[in-house]
Amino acid sequence: MKPSITKGTRDFTPTIMAKRNYIFSVIRGVFQKYGFKQIETPSIEQLSTLMGKYGEEGDKLLFKILNSGDFAANLTDEQLLERNSIHLTNKICEKGLRYDLTVPFARFVVMHREEIAFPFKRFQMQPVWRADRPQKGRYREFYQCDADVVGSNSLLYEAELIEMIDEAFTKFGIRVEIKLNNRKILSGISEIIGEADKITDITVAIDKLDKIGIDGVVAELRSKGISEEAIKKLQPILNMSGDNHQQLNTLKEVLAASSVGLKGIEELEEVLGYVEMANLKNNVAIDLTLARGLNYYTGAILEVKALDVAIGSISGGGRYDNLTGIFGLDGVSGVGFSFGADRIYDVLEQLNLFPAETNQGVAVMFAAFDAEGIKYCLPWLRALRGKGVSAEMYPEPAKMKKQMAYANATGAKYVAIVGDNEMASNTIALKEMATGTQETLTLEQLLERF
Amino acid sequence: MKPSITKGTRDFTPTIMAKRNYIFSVIRGVFQKYGFKQIETPSIEQLSTLMGKYGEEGDKLLFKILNSGDFAANLTDEQLLERNSIHLTNKICEKGLRYDLTVPFARFVVMHREEIAFPFKRFQMQPVWRADRPQKGRYREFYQCDADVVGSNSLLYEAELIEMIDEAFTKFGIRVEIKLNNRKILSGISEIIGEADKITDITVAIDKLDKIGIDGVVAELRSKGISEEAIKKLQPILNMSGDNHQQLNTLKEVLAASSVGLKGIEELEEVLGYVEMANLKNNVAIDLTLARGLNYYTGAILEVKALDVAIGSISGGGRYDNLTGIFGLDGVSGVGFSFGADRIYDVLEQLNLFPAETNQGVAVMFAAFDAEGIKYCLPWLRALRGKGVSAEMYPEPAKMKKQMAYANATGAKYVAIVGDNEMASNTIALKEMATGTQETLTLEQLLERF
């Protein structure tokens, strides 16, 4: 039998794992430094927890788990012969795989609310599964790295997330632009131009400004049935330019009659105020076309774009006013952010930014050429390990060439070679793999070296 | 809607996560120090990879994933109305959840054999899923932490695994006995007493020696149809005592006529020889009743028993001669070991052995009492974070009591309190939470402290 791997899933070899662990460890370090605490939730959730939370399309993309035991026994002839896969699924599946980390987190908060100290700053780094059509860069199993704060309306947290983003990408060495919008401003714009129900059409059109120009955007707005008067009112926004403060001033004029719009501007200003104090390494820019998560974000909307690689958004987030409402706990506002580990991986790889230490080879590999040589090495090996130094013994008295090939392939930093001369003089010959230089050391000298 | 969690699965709160991470990090540290490299395989495997690898019972315990899309459309009336859950499963499920880390590892080795340098020392720490009946200490989702070497027959690796076990449990502070057996010795015993096909009955009976005494064991062997002559030949083994070497000598006499038995003794002797050189902290004892994995282990069998807690085996492993044979790659011998993270957790908890640093609170939480106070704190907060110190701001000017309760609940080590006096004198009041002592510090003094 020739084995295969499921479409859209991946094996991670040691080399890739080391790089992935580097990404996770940078992100984890930033999360922890900012006071976020890790939780984990089960991979398997009740379908009743998951269904209806991601739209109709999302329901289809959930991986469903067949009930154990004799699941078909109690189905009626009618139910069976209908051959309706959706109806049948409801009868034979009660559980599904986690689709994101947000809904399980909401469930967690509701179920553990008595033990949690609010504001609750949690981070979570776990795989999620989606029965998507696999394609380049899109997988059926992938990691999400989320940080959220729930139980506080303070806009300090929006600023804190932006600082975390700035710090993480600075550590990665990836130059980014952090884009910031506010759902209330989008609501204000729709309100002012009298098209409150067309907020999505409007933002989708504005989003194309760079590509199709003002005339193109206007044409698209017309095609969506937006009135000439509304389009006219949009002009100052389409023509908006200058830095964040100049844009905020334009918006204040345009949205002067919308209380929700003004609230959005006020929130943006407060967040930008905190952020400006922080001397970030990366630029934070207002971007009104940012419309991710329009269904659930109620305040800030955040997105990160890499400057030196043509790739979509590499991370994003925002504020939602009622995360846990779906599970019966109202009034818990939250703001959160998700690092896209797979995309960050691709960017680091393309820009050749992975640090050299992601090589996970041992510090010292011992090579001997007969059984006696191996026995000679063992106390040296144990002495190194006793000092906390990673080390291993090539397990057979194989030819030098074979042992060196293994050391090369596994990334060993040094090879300690033991032949008759070394045994006679109570030494080893330590060869540095990167340079090829070799020196003869006693055990004491070897231990001093590491 | 009141949310619930799937039976047999668990949420891990920050406190529990910190303890689990401690366990994983000790184990990972040992694995890496011994030259093992991490891989990950997908949670979802083809059912064709998984089915038939864990026995009939195992097939039932696999979580199966319903095919996406219109899975019922092409089923015939006959197939549907048969209501045979096993037949239907074959038609509507192609994928399942990982049941252990060993079979996916075998698949990995076969699929990546061209990129792998053998001997391949891999470790893997990932969850596995079993549709078992949930009960105390048994979960449907749990982590396995496996280390295996494939592609070498060297018994140095058996010794290395034992040293790793010794080191990990020494780090945990858990006193254990490491039990060692060899499948070839069990085969030899069955051969000598002329009951080669009853190896399982014999080891099960011997296993009860402590509880039911020699007479009980003899009675059980009789009830299994084992001949009086065979039982007589078993006597020296049932009466075996003394240290490892004395036991090996007894075995050599009893198994003198069995070449496989003598080979097993020789292997045990070689492994014990290496281990004795290593000055382990824990005792390694031959235990002929150790019969785990009798279906697949072909050489060493290993098990770890905690000495100070009444709990089953907390880790185990052994050598298998043909791991990858099921996937068409013969001649790849391996030896491996699995740490039982959940059981280790229970032991550490019962013996109160978790180190204090598993508390994941920030070093400093800032507390202010008005908007101005909060703004005053932000540069201090950023300065600490800039030094790599974990710190956070309580996000609202709440009452002292509420802020201190948050600091307590989240495990903050210090609270930096800022009132009017502090702002006037350009200081903060730093309160150590454990002792209650408080001192006034300038920014410079604060930064020096951490």
Side-chain angles (χ1 to χ4, degrees):
Chain A
M1 182 209 150
K2 212 179 151 186
S4 65
I5 189 167
T6 300
K7 253 192 320 183
T9 69
R10 294 165 289 173
D11 282 332
F12 298 118
T13 60
T15 312
I16 297 174
M17 268 314 289
K19 291 178 175 176
R20 289 173 62 86
N21 283 338
Y22 162 72
I23 294 173
F24 294 139
S25 120
V26 167
I27 294 173
R28 185 185 303 113
V30 173
F31 285 164
Q32 287 176 333
K33 202 166 90 173
Y34 282 73
F36 287 75
K37 300 194 172 182
Q38 190 170 15
I39 69 161
E40 283 189 2
T41 62
S43 305
I44 298 173
E45 292 275 355
Q46 297 300 108
L47 277 178
S48 56
T49 299
L50 302 176
M51 296 284 281
K53 309 303 188 301
Y54 308 106
E56 212 175 304
E57 191 55 23
D59 282 354
K60 280 188 202 151
L61 298 184
L62 287 169
F63 278 113
K64 285 129 195 146
I65 295 170
L66 196 64
N67 292 344
S68 299
D70 207 359
F71 64 88
N74 295 318
L75 296 172
T76 65
D77 287 5
E78 216 181 351
Q79 286 167 343
L80 286 165
L81 296 175
E82 193 195 8
R83 284 184 183 72
N84 182 315
S85 294
I86 293 173
H87 293 175
L88 268 177
T89 301
N90 292 335
K91 302 279 173 203
I92 64 179
C93 297
E94 275 166 16
K95 296 179 282 290
L97 291 181
R98 184 168 58 216
Y99 179 89
D100 71 0
L101 302 179
T102 307
V103 168
F105 175 52
R107 179 194 57 66
F108 180 99
V109 170
V110 173
M111 289 182 69
H112 298 269
R113 61 183 178 274
E114 302 299 339
E115 323 151 36
I116 290 174
F118 291 100
F120 181 44
K121 300 167 82 170
R122 88 85 169 80
F123 77 90
Q124 197 169 349
M125 304 170 74
Q126 291 190 276
V128 302
W129 296 268
R130 295 181 187 178
D132 241 326
R133 186 187 303 272
Q135 48 183 271
K136 191 172 157 21
R138 187 185 291 176
Y139 305 102
R140 290 185 154 183
E141 173 175 48
F142 58 98
Y143 266 74
Q144 291 193 332
C145 306
D146 285 18
D148 290 77
V149 194
V150 294
S152 168
N153 297 309
S154 171
L155 298 173
L156 276 173
Y157 287 128
E158 272 81 343
E160 188 161 76
L161 289 179
I162 292 171
E163 291 180 48
M164 287 161 67
I165 293 166
D166 183 68
E167 181 162 338
F169 285 103
T170 302
K171 283 205 170 126
F172 286 131
I174 300 175
R175 296 194 318 129
V176 298
E177 177 160 76
I178 302 165
K179 295 175 163 196
L180 185 58
N181 195 5
N182 191 298
R183 172 62 151 89
K184 296 188 179 84
I185 294 180
L186 297 180
S187 300
I189 293 172
S190 308
E191 192 180 278
I192 287 295
I193 63 177
E195 303 275 4
D197 54 328
K198 294 208 166 127
I199 183 167
T200 307
D201 290 338
I202 293 170
T203 51
V204 165
I206 297 179
D207 189 26
K208 297 181 182 162
L209 196 53
D210 277 353
K211 285 183 212 139
I212 59 178
I214 291 193
D215 293 347
V217 171
V218 167
E220 172 151 342
L221 290 169
R222 272 191 200 119
S223 78
K224 295 285 176 188
I226 292 173
S227 72
E228 291 304 317
E229 203 196 329
I231 291 171
K232 204 172 149 198
K233 282 190 184 152
L234 263 181
Q235 290 301 321
I237 287 170
L238 295 177
N239 288 309
M240 203 161 74
S241 66
D243 64 18
N244 290 336
H245 290 281
Q246 289 164 328
Q247 294 192 36
L248 284 170
N249 286 335
T250 308
L251 284 171
K252 274 182 205 164
E253 285 168 30
V254 179
L255 300 182
S258 164
S259 63
V260 62
L262 290 176
K263 180 88 176 90
I265 295 169
E266 192 189 313
E267 289 182 8
L268 252 184
E269 266 188 320
E270 185 176 340
V271 172
L272 286 170
Y274 294 132
V275 165
E276 278 161 15
M277 288 173 63
N279 292 318
L280 301 189
K281 303 283 189 300
N282 294 286
N283 191 35
V284 179
I286 295 174
D287 183 348
L288 294 186
T289 68
L290 202 63
R292 61 183 291 138
L294 222 48
N295 301 328
Y296 42 93
Y297 289 139
T298 51
I301 304 176
L302 277 167
E303 201 166 272
V304 177
K305 213 178 151 359
L307 292 180
D308 302 315
V309 173
I311 197 168
S313 132
I314 53 176
S315 299
R319 178 172 288 272
Y320 36 80
D321 268 350
N322 195 12
L323 176 68
T324 55
I326 38 171
F327 297 121
L329 181 65
D330 284 320
V332 179
S333 179
V335 58
F337 188 79
S338 185
F339 281 93
D342 285 297
R343 292 227 165 147
I344 292 171
Y345 186 101
D346 291 343
V347 172
L348 290 171
E349 195 74 300
Q350 276 188 55
L351 299 178
N352 205 15
L353 288 172
F354 279 111
E357 312 92 73
T358 56
N359 168 2
Q360 297 281 297
V362 291
V364 183
M365 186 199 96
F366 287 85
F369 306 99
D370 51 27
E372 202 195 336
I374 291 179
K375 284 221 169 106
Y376 174 90
C377 290
L378 294 178
W380 296 63
L381 174 68
R382 287 178 183 130
L384 277 180
R385 285 176 176 163
K387 271 197 72 180
V389 179
S390 64
E392 64 178 319
M393 176 81 228
Y394 191 87
E396 284 144 35
K399 289 209 174 115
M400 179 71 134
K401 200 180 155 190
K402 190 174 177 189
Q403 300 198 43
M404 293 309 279
Y406 175 84
N408 257 320
T410 58
K413 283 154 202 88
Y414 291 87
V415 174
I417 302 163
V418 168
D420 291 342
N421 290 340
E422 285 77 19
M423 286 193 269
S425 61
N426 221 359
T427 58
I428 52 102
L430 190 70
K431 184 188 176 103
E432 185 175 9
M433 295 300 280
T435 60
T437 56
Q438 190 168 317
E439 40 186 338
T440 299
L441 299 177
T442 63
L443 179 55
E444 229 169 37
Q445 289 168 329
L446 179 71
L447 291 177
E448 258 166 39
R449 177 68 57 92
F450 293 96
Chain B
M1 181 209 152
K2 214 179 150 186
S4 65
I5 190 168
T6 300
K7 252 192 322 184
T9 70
R10 295 165 287 173
D11 283 331
F12 298 118
T13 60
T15 313
I16 296 173
M17 268 314 291
K19 291 178 176 176
R20 288 173 63 86
N21 283 338
Y22 161 72
I23 293 173
F24 294 137
S25 119
V26 167
I27 294 173
R28 185 184 304 113
V30 173
F31 285 165
Q32 288 176 334
K33 201 165 94 175
Y34 283 71
F36 287 75
K37 299 193 172 184
Q38 191 170 14
I39 69 161
E40 283 189 4
T41 62
S43 306
I44 298 174
E45 293 276 355
Q46 295 302 107
L47 277 179
S48 56
T49 300
L50 302 176
M51 297 284 283
K53 308 304 188 299
Y54 308 105
E56 212 174 304
E57 190 57 22
D59 283 352
K60 281 189 202 151
L61 298 183
L62 287 169
F63 279 114
K64 285 131 196 143
I65 294 170
L66 196 63
N67 292 344
S68 299
D70 206 0
F71 64 87
N74 294 317
L75 296 171
T76 65
D77 286 7
E78 217 180 351
Q79 286 167 345
L80 286 164
L81 295 175
E82 194 196 7
R83 284 183 183 74
N84 182 314
S85 294
I86 292 173
H87 294 176
L88 269 178
T89 301
N90 291 336
K91 302 279 173 203
I92 64 178
C93 297
E94 275 164 17
K95 295 179 283 292
L97 291 180
R98 185 168 57 215
Y99 179 90
D100 71 0
L101 302 179
T102 307
V103 169
F105 174 52
R107 180 195 54 68
F108 180 100
V109 170
V110 173
M111 290 182 68
H112 298 269
R113 61 182 177 274
E114 302 300 338
E115 323 151 39
I116 291 173
F118 292 99
F120 182 43
K121 299 167 82 170
R122 88 85 170 78
F123 78 90
Q124 196 169 349
M125 303 170 74
Q126 292 190 273
V128 301
W129 296 268
R130 296 182 186 177
D132 241 326
R133 186 187 302 273
Q135 48 183 273
K136 192 173 155 24
R138 185 185 292 178
Y139 304 102
R140 290 184 155 185
E141 173 176 49
F142 58 98
Y143 266 74
Q144 291 193 330
C145 305
D146 284 20
D148 290 78
V149 193
V150 293
S152 168
N153 296 310
S154 171
L155 298 173
L156 275 173
Y157 287 127
E158 272 82 342
E160 189 161 76
L161 289 178
I162 291 171
E163 291 179 48
M164 288 161 65
I165 293 166
D166 183 67
E167 182 163 338
F169 285 104
T170 302
K171 282 205 170 126
F172 286 130
I174 300 175
R175 297 195 317 130
V176 297
E177 177 160 75
I178 302 165
K179 295 175 164 195
L180 185 58
N181 195 5
N182 190 299
R183 171 63 150 88
K184 296 187 179 82
I185 294 179
L186 297 180
S187 299
I189 292 172
S190 307
E191 191 179 276
I192 287 296
I193 64 177
E195 303 275 5
D197 55 327
K198 293 207 166 129
I199 181 168
T200 307
D201 289 340
I202 294 169
T203 51
V204 166
I206 296 179
D207 189 27
K208 297 182 184 162
L209 195 54
D210 276 354
K211 285 183 211 136
I212 60 179
I214 291 192
D215 292 346
V217 172
V218 167
E220 171 151 341
L221 289 169
R222 271 190 200 120
S223 78
K224 296 286 176 186
I226 292 172
S227 71
E228 291 305 316
E229 203 194 329
I231 291 172
K232 203 171 153 199
K233 283 190 183 152
L234 262 180
Q235 291 301 321
I237 287 169
L238 294 177
N239 287 311
M240 202 161 74
S241 65
D243 64 19
N244 290 336
H245 290 281
Q246 288 164 329
Q247 294 191 35
L248 284 171
N249 286 335
T250 307
L251 283 171
K252 274 181 205 168
E253 285 169 29
V254 179
L255 300 182
S258 164
S259 64
V260 63
L262 290 176
K263 179 86 177 94
I265 294 169
E266 192 189 313
E267 289 182 8
L268 251 185
E269 267 188 320
E270 186 178 339
V271 172
L272 286 170
Y274 293 133
V275 166
E276 278 162 13
M277 286 173 65
N279 291 319
L280 301 189
K281 303 285 190 298
N282 294 286
N283 190 35
V284 178
I286 295 174
D287 183 349
L288 294 186
T289 69
L290 201 62
R292 61 182 291 137
L294 223 47
N295 302 327
Y296 43 94
Y297 289 138
T298 51
I301 304 176
L302 277 166
E303 202 167 271
V304 177
K305 213 179 151 358
L307 293 179
D308 301 314
V309 172
I311 196 170
S313 135
I314 53 176
S315 299
R319 178 171 288 272
Y320 36 81
D321 268 349
N322 195 12
L323 176 66
T324 55
I326 37 171
F327 298 121
L329 181 65
D330 284 321
V332 179
S333 179
V335 57
F337 188 79
S338 185
F339 282 93
D342 284 297
R343 291 226 165 147
I344 292 172
Y345 186 101
D346 291 343
V347 172
L348 289 171
E349 195 74 300
Q350 276 189 55
L351 300 177
N352 205 16
L353 288 173
F354 279 110
E357 314 91 73
T358 56
N359 169 1
Q360 297 281 297
V362 291
V364 183
M365 186 200 95
F366 287 85
F369 307 99
D370 51 29
E372 200 194 340
I374 290 179
K375 284 223 171 105
Y376 174 91
C377 289
L378 294 179
W380 296 64
L381 173 68
R382 288 180 184 128
L384 277 179
R385 286 175 176 165
K387 274 196 71 178
V389 179
S390 64
E392 65 178 318
M393 175 82 230
Y394 192 86
E396 283 144 36
K399 290 208 172 116
M400 179 71 133
K401 198 178 159 193
K402 191 173 177 191
Q403 298 198 44
M404 295 308 279
Y406 176 84
N408 256 322
T410 58
K413 282 154 203 89
Y414 292 87
V415 174
I417 301 164
V418 168
D420 292 341
N421 290 342
E422 284 77 18
M423 285 192 270
S425 61
N426 221 358
T427 58
I428 52 102
L430 190 71
K431 184 186 175 106
E432 184 175 10
M433 295 298 283
T435 60
T437 56
Q438 190 166 319
E439 40 186 337
T440 299
L441 298 179
T442 64
L443 179 54
E444 229 169 38
Q445 290 168 328
L446 178 70
L447 292 177
E448 258 166 39
R449 177 67 57 91
F450 293 97

